[in-house]
Amino acid sequence: MKNRYLEAGKIVNTHGIAGEVKIMPWADDPDFLLDFDTLYIDGKPVELRAARVHKNCVLAKLAGVDDMNEAMKLKNKVVFIDREDVELEEGAFFLADVMGLEVRDADSGEVLGHIADILTPPASNVYVVKGGKAEHMIPAVEEFVVETNVDEGYLRVRLIEGM
């Protein structure tokens, strides 16, 4: 079952004296967070009054946080979004929904394991597959990933020798 609330970033610091917080986003693009009116911190909704991107982070003004002392209380808190507030493009998915998917060989149908981790180097994501005969590290690109079926819980891949 998909989680309704998804981790979207972490408050890493305060910014200025008016209570702004600096959020390190966990998305492909920090602009993603600018589209939300509400974020969730400690399970509670918090209105996002203003936000802008600054050096790959998001500087945000949150309702009820009016000075540096209030902002400091939020440092190191994880920020969540409600999945229902997001409209993904066709074929797009959240990385959180890929974690744990069964990974199958596209040619033989053999189960290679499950996605245990996702590495996010600059070039492309890499799926770490464990639980089968061997551990695999599979770049998340069309050359190797034949099908991603989040709804049915599997990923079909085509491996090359040595993978």
Side-chain angles (χ1 to χ4, degrees):
M1 186 172 122
K2 297 177 184 175
N3 291 331
R4 178 172 173 183
Y5 299 98
L6 301 166
E7 293 183 6
K10 183 177 185 178
I11 297 174
V12 294
N13 214 338
T14 62
H15 182 78
I17 60 171
E20 282 187 311
V21 294
K22 183 177 183 180
I23 301 171
M24 176 62 68
W26 296 336
D28 293 339
D29 184 351
D31 286 325
F32 177 76
L33 278 182
L34 303 182
D35 293 336
F36 294 88
D37 297 325
T38 305
L39 300 176
Y40 297 83
I41 301 172
D42 292 336
K44 297 180 182 105
V46 179
E47 180 188 349
L48 181 62
R49 293 227 169 120
R52 65 191 184 282
V53 173
H54 180 71
K55 297 182 180 178
N56 292 326
C57 286
V58 173
L59 301 179
K61 180 69 174 140
L62 304 173
V65 182
D66 297 316
D67 61 40
M68 191 182 335
N69 291 332
E70 288 296 314
M72 188 57 86
K73 292 177 187 175
L74 298 175
K75 189 173 177 181
N76 294 319
K77 298 271 186 183
V78 174
V79 174
F80 291 79
I81 58 169
D82 186 334
R83 118 178 5 256
E84 293 178 10
D85 293 340
V86 180
E87 191 170 320
L88 293 175
E89 293 177 20
E90 182 70 31
F93 49 83
F94 292 107
L95 291 182
D97 295 338
V98 176
M99 286 296 295
L101 288 186
E102 181 178 87
V103 179
R104 304 173 186 166
D105 184 287
D107 298 320
S108 70
E110 175 189 358
V111 175
L112 302 172
H114 291 82
I115 297 178
D117 196 8
I118 301 172
L119 307 177
T120 56
S124 67
N125 293 338
V126 176
Y127 298 140
V128 179
V129 180
K130 295 182 180 180
K133 295 176 187 170
E135 180 177 312
H136 301 280
M137 294 180 76
I138 304 170
V141 295
E142 286 182 23
E143 182 179 347
F144 302 112
V145 179
V146 175
E147 178 186 7
T148 302
N149 192 324
V150 172
D151 293 330
E152 299 206 15
Y154 68 86
L155 190 78
R156 289 181 348 142
V157 298
R158 184 161 288 123
L159 302 179
I160 59 173
E161 199 167 320
M163 203 174 219

